[in-house]
Amino acid sequence: MAERRGSGLQILPHGFKSRLHLHTLTVKTFKATLAIDIGATKIAIAIADQDLRFIHRRTILISDSPDLTRDFHREILGIVSNSSFEVLGIGIASAGPIDRATGVISPVNIPTWRDFNLITFVQEILPGVPVSFLQDAVAVAYAEKRIGAGVDFQHMLGMVVSTGVGGGLILNDEIFHGELGNAGFFGHHSIDFNGAPCRCGRLGCVESISSGPSMVSFAQASGWSGPTNFESLSESARSGDVLALAAIERGTHGLAVGILNTLAILDISAVVIGGGVSFAGEIFWKPLRQHLRNEYTHMTLAREPIVVPAKLEKDAGLLGAALSAKTQ
């Protein structure tokens, strides 16, 4: 005799009397949040339990996806099809620019998703489930503020330095989204109006100078011949390669200028920095601190910046998305 519970078929011993009336057909063992983090190179999708532990995960590498919208749809359906949990909320963090009011995104590094209505797309997959939506660097800043390196800061700039450069603002212990959701869109403010073109179309953006790929490109243009990733560039710099050192010196100088511009405009002093480039260690942090000190000497009306590494590392965006869904 067979008895169906949830999504599985259980085979009962011969002669066993079924008691279906004592059981529900589908048993949801815990309440969950669907967290989505759309970055420059990948999309992370996860199920978080009520303690913010990620129970299930899926990843889409954007460069490997011939049809990103189709793959995104498939992976969301795949992860929520598990009958052991009930999704009560959705938190989405996306690379910007975004429009929180309409749910539309136009990520600089994902050209196929220009003017893509992300929220409508997700709500069609999971109708009736409330959605919280914020920019990806804002999600990182929020996670660091709630449970990471920014817990003690009332005001802070949270940053991601990786394939791109992003920022999010916490003011008076709350997220500051701005009008569209792009407040703190740090990477695309210009620090050199005669500089190189950025992917966004402007000249001399912080991202075009200080992101990992930008530092690698500068080193290669100067004659460095290593592999095209920041990890290799940082290894060369640790070995004393002058071209690699010069590229990181330039990138961290641009970052320091951008950070102090932002702190001066907002009259705040705390910065939490995460992202893959920041994981390189002192080869990144030492020149950044030196450039911050040098630039700060000319800022008589601002507090000395407090700049600390992020604690949450690669899961910060997902955690921020999940936290925003739990607190909406």
Side-chain angles (χ1 to χ4, degrees), residues 256-269 291-305:
V257 170
I259 288 171
L260 287 173
N261 287 348
T262 304
L263 300 187
I265 289 168
L266 295 170
D267 192 19
I268 64 176
S269 57
H291 287 304
L292 286 167
R293 282 192 293 269
N294 293 344
E295 293 289 332
Y296 175 72
T297 60
H298 308 291
M299 297 177 63
T300 57
L301 297 178
R303 288 184 177 179
E304 185 171 356

mmCIF file of all heavy atoms in Angstrom, residues 256-269 291-305:
data_model
loop_
_atom_site.group_PDB
_atom_site.id
_atom_site.type_symbol
_atom_site.label_atom_id
_atom_site.label_comp_id
_atom_site.label_asym_id
_atom_site.label_seq_id
_atom_site.Cartn_x
_atom_site.Cartn_y
_atom_site.Cartn_z
ATOM 1 N N ALA A 256 40.478 56.425 -2.840
ATOM 2 C CA ALA A 256 40.591 57.322 -1.691
ATOM 3 C C ALA A 256 39.972 58.680 -1.989
ATOM 4 O O ALA A 256 39.264 59.253 -1.142
ATOM 5 C CB ALA A 256 42.060 57.479 -1.302
ATOM 6 N N VAL A 257 40.211 59.198 -3.178
ATOM 7 C CA VAL A 257 39.633 60.486 -3.557
ATOM 8 C C VAL A 257 38.106 60.399 -3.564
ATOM 9 O O VAL A 257 37.407 61.264 -3.029
ATOM 10 C CB VAL A 257 40.157 60.934 -4.936
ATOM 11 C CG1 VAL A 257 39.369 62.146 -5.450
ATOM 12 C CG2 VAL A 257 41.640 61.265 -4.868
ATOM 13 N N GLY A 258 37.589 59.327 -4.166
ATOM 14 C CA GLY A 258 36.132 59.152 -4.211
ATOM 15 C C GLY A 258 35.515 59.001 -2.833
ATOM 16 O O GLY A 258 34.450 59.561 -2.543
ATOM 17 N N ILE A 259 36.185 58.261 -1.957
ATOM 18 C CA ILE A 259 35.679 58.070 -0.589
ATOM 19 C C ILE A 259 35.618 59.402 0.140
ATOM 20 O O ILE A 259 34.596 59.762 0.749
ATOM 21 C CB ILE A 259 36.571 57.067 0.181
ATOM 22 C CG1 ILE A 259 36.353 55.647 -0.347
ATOM 23 C CG2 ILE A 259 36.286 57.127 1.683
ATOM 24 C CD1 ILE A 259 37.346 54.636 0.199
ATOM 25 N N LEU A 260 36.689 60.162 0.090
ATOM 26 C CA LEU A 260 36.716 61.425 0.833
ATOM 27 C C LEU A 260 35.753 62.454 0.241
ATOM 28 O O LEU A 260 35.179 63.260 0.977
ATOM 29 C CB LEU A 260 38.136 61.978 0.884
ATOM 30 C CG LEU A 260 39.056 61.194 1.824
ATOM 31 C CD1 LEU A 260 40.497 61.675 1.710
ATOM 32 C CD2 LEU A 260 38.589 61.306 3.268
ATOM 33 N N ASN A 261 35.559 62.441 -1.070
ATOM 34 C CA ASN A 261 34.529 63.303 -1.663
ATOM 35 C C ASN A 261 33.172 63.004 -1.046
ATOM 36 O O ASN A 261 32.416 63.910 -0.671
ATOM 37 C CB ASN A 261 34.445 63.077 -3.171
ATOM 38 C CG ASN A 261 35.614 63.647 -3.930
ATOM 39 O OD1 ASN A 261 36.407 64.414 -3.395
ATOM 40 N ND2 ASN A 261 35.725 63.268 -5.200
ATOM 41 N N THR A 262 32.848 61.716 -0.966
ATOM 42 C CA THR A 262 31.540 61.303 -0.451
ATOM 43 C C THR A 262 31.393 61.656 1.031
ATOM 44 O O THR A 262 30.353 62.167 1.461
ATOM 45 C CB THR A 262 31.340 59.788 -0.661
ATOM 46 O OG1 THR A 262 31.508 59.488 -2.053
ATOM 47 C CG2 THR A 262 29.966 59.350 -0.211
ATOM 48 N N LEU A 263 32.422 61.371 1.810
ATOM 49 C CA LEU A 263 32.364 61.675 3.239
ATOM 50 C C LEU A 263 32.209 63.172 3.480
ATOM 51 O O LEU A 263 31.477 63.600 4.376
ATOM 52 C CB LEU A 263 33.620 61.159 3.944
ATOM 53 C CG LEU A 263 33.892 59.656 3.883
ATOM 54 C CD1 LEU A 263 35.082 59.295 4.772
ATOM 55 C CD2 LEU A 263 32.671 58.839 4.273
ATOM 56 N N ALA A 264 32.900 63.978 2.671
ATOM 57 C CA ALA A 264 32.824 65.423 2.848
ATOM 58 C C ALA A 264 31.430 65.946 2.492
ATOM 59 O O ALA A 264 30.889 66.813 3.185
ATOM 60 C CB ALA A 264 33.877 66.103 1.980
ATOM 61 N N ILE A 265 30.836 65.431 1.435
ATOM 62 C CA ILE A 265 29.508 65.888 1.019
ATOM 63 C C ILE A 265 28.467 65.565 2.087
ATOM 64 O O ILE A 265 27.575 66.370 2.384
ATOM 65 C CB ILE A 265 29.122 65.250 -0.324
ATOM 66 C CG1 ILE A 265 29.975 65.847 -1.452
ATOM 67 C CG2 ILE A 265 27.634 65.440 -0.629
ATOM 68 C CD1 ILE A 265 29.876 65.090 -2.754
ATOM 69 N N LEU A 266 28.587 64.392 2.702
ATOM 70 C CA LEU A 266 27.579 63.932 3.660
ATOM 71 C C LEU A 266 27.919 64.277 5.105
ATOM 72 O O LEU A 266 27.079 64.105 5.992
ATOM 73 C CB LEU A 266 27.398 62.417 3.527
ATOM 74 C CG LEU A 266 26.831 61.943 2.197
ATOM 75 C CD1 LEU A 266 26.936 60.425 2.095
ATOM 76 C CD2 LEU A 266 25.388 62.386 2.047
ATOM 77 N N ASP A 267 29.151 64.708 5.355
ATOM 78 C CA ASP A 267 29.610 64.979 6.717
ATOM 79 C C ASP A 267 29.513 63.730 7.595
ATOM 80 O O ASP A 267 28.966 63.753 8.693
ATOM 81 C CB ASP A 267 28.822 66.138 7.333
ATOM 82 C CG ASP A 267 29.460 66.644 8.631
ATOM 83 O OD1 ASP A 267 30.655 66.361 8.854
ATOM 84 O OD2 ASP A 267 28.753 67.298 9.427
ATOM 85 N N ILE A 268 30.049 62.625 7.083
ATOM 86 C CA ILE A 268 30.141 61.376 7.840
ATOM 87 C C ILE A 268 31.587 60.905 7.805
ATOM 88 O O ILE A 268 32.408 61.451 7.059
ATOM 89 C CB ILE A 268 29.190 60.283 7.303
ATOM 90 C CG1 ILE A 268 29.567 59.874 5.864
ATOM 91 C CG2 ILE A 268 27.746 60.781 7.345
ATOM 92 C CD1 ILE A 268 28.720 58.738 5.310
ATOM 93 N N SER A 269 31.926 59.877 8.585
ATOM 94 C CA SER A 269 33.334 59.476 8.669
ATOM 95 C C SER A 269 33.578 57.976 8.534
ATOM 96 O O SER A 269 34.729 57.572 8.332
ATOM 97 C CB SER A 269 33.942 59.963 9.990
ATOM 98 O OG SER A 269 33.203 59.448 11.098
ATOM 99 N N HIS A 291 46.834 56.824 0.957
ATOM 100 C CA HIS A 291 46.196 57.847 0.123
ATOM 101 C C HIS A 291 45.086 58.565 0.888
ATOM 102 O O HIS A 291 44.902 59.780 0.732
ATOM 103 C CB HIS A 291 45.644 57.225 -1.153
ATOM 104 C CG HIS A 291 46.699 56.840 -2.140
ATOM 105 N ND1 HIS A 291 47.618 57.743 -2.626
ATOM 106 C CD2 HIS A 291 46.983 55.639 -2.724
ATOM 107 C CE1 HIS A 291 48.429 57.118 -3.478
ATOM 108 N NE2 HIS A 291 48.057 55.851 -3.556
ATOM 109 N N LEU A 292 44.359 57.843 1.713
ATOM 110 C CA LEU A 292 43.335 58.488 2.540
ATOM 111 C C LEU A 292 43.970 59.496 3.495
ATOM 112 O O LEU A 292 43.458 60.616 3.671
ATOM 113 C CB LEU A 292 42.548 57.437 3.320
ATOM 114 C CG LEU A 292 41.549 56.605 2.516
ATOM 115 C CD1 LEU A 292 41.075 55.403 3.328
ATOM 116 C CD2 LEU A 292 40.343 57.457 2.100
ATOM 117 N N ARG A 293 45.086 59.119 4.119
ATOM 118 C CA ARG A 293 45.767 60.047 5.029
ATOM 119 C C ARG A 293 46.259 61.283 4.283
ATOM 120 O O ARG A 293 46.110 62.415 4.752
ATOM 121 C CB ARG A 293 46.948 59.340 5.719
ATOM 122 C CG ARG A 293 46.548 58.423 6.862
ATOM 123 C CD ARG A 293 47.759 57.999 7.676
ATOM 124 N NE ARG A 293 48.651 57.141 6.916
ATOM 125 C CZ ARG A 293 48.572 55.806 6.899
ATOM 126 N NH1 ARG A 293 47.640 55.191 7.610
ATOM 127 N NH2 ARG A 293 49.410 55.090 6.187
ATOM 128 N N ASN A 294 46.847 61.056 3.112
ATOM 129 C CA ASN A 294 47.381 62.180 2.339
ATOM 130 C C ASN A 294 46.277 63.143 1.909
ATOM 131 O O ASN A 294 46.422 64.364 1.999
ATOM 132 C CB ASN A 294 48.122 61.674 1.105
ATOM 133 C CG ASN A 294 49.388 60.910 1.458
ATOM 134 O OD1 ASN A 294 49.885 60.987 2.583
ATOM 135 N ND2 ASN A 294 49.903 60.150 0.497
ATOM 136 N N GLU A 295 45.184 62.596 1.418
ATOM 137 C CA GLU A 295 44.079 63.439 0.952
ATOM 138 C C GLU A 295 43.383 64.135 2.115
ATOM 139 O O GLU A 295 42.930 65.274 1.987
ATOM 140 C CB GLU A 295 43.070 62.585 0.168
ATOM 141 C CG GLU A 295 43.593 62.032 -1.144
ATOM 142 C CD GLU A 295 43.775 63.097 -2.211
ATOM 143 O OE1 GLU A 295 43.050 64.111 -2.162
ATOM 144 O OE2 GLU A 295 44.644 62.923 -3.086
ATOM 145 N N TYR A 296 43.323 63.460 3.244
ATOM 146 C CA TYR A 296 42.603 64.014 4.393
ATOM 147 C C TYR A 296 43.305 65.238 4.970
ATOM 148 O O TYR A 296 42.660 66.108 5.568
ATOM 149 C CB TYR A 296 42.436 62.940 5.474
ATOM 150 C CG TYR A 296 41.815 63.480 6.744
ATOM 151 C CD1 TYR A 296 40.464 63.833 6.783
ATOM 152 C CD2 TYR A 296 42.586 63.666 7.892
ATOM 153 C CE1 TYR A 296 39.893 64.348 7.943
ATOM 154 C CE2 TYR A 296 42.034 64.176 9.055
ATOM 155 C CZ TYR A 296 40.679 64.516 9.077
ATOM 156 O OH TYR A 296 40.118 65.029 10.208
ATOM 157 N N THR A 297 44.612 65.352 4.780
ATOM 158 C CA THR A 297 45.337 66.486 5.357
ATOM 159 C C THR A 297 44.816 67.828 4.835
ATOM 160 O O THR A 297 45.040 68.862 5.466
ATOM 161 C CB THR A 297 46.848 66.390 5.035
ATOM 162 O OG1 THR A 297 47.038 66.387 3.615
ATOM 163 C CG2 THR A 297 47.447 65.145 5.654
ATOM 164 N N HIS A 298 44.132 67.821 3.701
ATOM 165 C CA HIS A 298 43.609 69.057 3.121
ATOM 166 C C HIS A 298 42.141 69.290 3.490
ATOM 167 O O HIS A 298 41.539 70.255 3.007
ATOM 168 C CB HIS A 298 43.748 69.015 1.602
ATOM 169 C CG HIS A 298 45.131 68.685 1.142
ATOM 170 N ND1 HIS A 298 46.199 69.552 1.307
ATOM 171 C CD2 HIS A 298 45.650 67.576 0.556
ATOM 172 C CE1 HIS A 298 47.300 68.994 0.830
ATOM 173 N NE2 HIS A 298 46.993 67.804 0.363
ATOM 174 N N MET A 299 41.573 68.456 4.335
ATOM 175 C CA MET A 299 40.143 68.546 4.669
ATOM 176 C C MET A 299 40.000 68.995 6.119
ATOM 177 O O MET A 299 39.911 68.170 7.035
ATOM 178 C CB MET A 299 39.456 67.204 4.436
ATOM 179 C CG MET A 299 39.488 66.747 2.981
ATOM 180 S SD MET A 299 38.756 65.112 2.737
ATOM 181 C CE MET A 299 37.060 65.410 3.239
ATOM 182 N N THR A 300 39.960 70.283 6.331
ATOM 183 C CA THR A 300 39.965 70.812 7.691
ATOM 184 C C THR A 300 38.596 70.772 8.361
ATOM 185 O O THR A 300 38.501 70.895 9.581
ATOM 186 C CB THR A 300 40.459 72.263 7.685
ATOM 187 O OG1 THR A 300 39.613 73.036 6.806
ATOM 188 C CG2 THR A 300 41.893 72.345 7.205
ATOM 189 N N LEU A 301 37.526 70.598 7.584
ATOM 190 C CA LEU A 301 36.182 70.636 8.161
ATOM 191 C C LEU A 301 35.531 69.260 8.207
ATOM 192 O O LEU A 301 34.316 69.139 8.236
ATOM 193 C CB LEU A 301 35.297 71.601 7.366
ATOM 194 C CG LEU A 301 35.745 73.061 7.383
ATOM 195 C CD1 LEU A 301 34.823 73.908 6.521
ATOM 196 C CD2 LEU A 301 35.773 73.607 8.817
ATOM 197 N N ALA A 302 36.321 68.218 8.224
ATOM 198 C CA ALA A 302 35.769 66.857 8.259
ATOM 199 C C ALA A 302 36.512 66.032 9.307
ATOM 200 O O ALA A 302 37.684 66.268 9.601
ATOM 201 C CB ALA A 302 35.893 66.194 6.893
ATOM 202 N N ARG A 303 35.807 65.047 9.868
ATOM 203 C CA ARG A 303 36.460 64.120 10.790
ATOM 204 C C ARG A 303 37.370 63.172 10.017
ATOM 205 O O ARG A 303 37.122 62.856 8.851
ATOM 206 C CB ARG A 303 35.411 63.300 11.534
ATOM 207 C CG ARG A 303 34.621 64.072 12.567
ATOM 208 C CD ARG A 303 33.676 63.131 13.298
ATOM 209 N NE ARG A 303 32.952 63.811 14.357
ATOM 210 C CZ ARG A 303 32.046 63.214 15.122
ATOM 211 N NH1 ARG A 303 31.760 61.934 14.946
ATOM 212 N NH2 ARG A 303 31.436 63.896 16.079
ATOM 213 N N GLU A 304 38.398 62.700 10.684
ATOM 214 C CA GLU A 304 39.272 61.722 10.051
ATOM 215 C C GLU A 304 38.481 60.451 9.734
ATOM 216 O O GLU A 304 37.727 59.953 10.576
ATOM 217 C CB GLU A 304 40.436 61.385 10.974
ATOM 218 C CG GLU A 304 41.454 60.474 10.336
ATOM 219 C CD GLU A 304 42.702 60.312 11.177
ATOM 220 O OE1 GLU A 304 42.795 60.973 12.238
ATOM 221 O OE2 GLU A 304 43.575 59.523 10.781
ATOM 222 N N PRO A 305 38.614 59.920 8.532
ATOM 223 C CA PRO A 305 37.809 58.753 8.155
ATOM 224 C C PRO A 305 38.178 57.505 8.948
ATOM 225 O O PRO A 305 39.350 57.277 9.274
ATOM 226 C CB PRO A 305 38.119 58.572 6.668
ATOM 227 C CG PRO A 305 39.406 59.269 6.442
ATOM 228 C CD PRO A 305 39.449 60.406 7.423
#
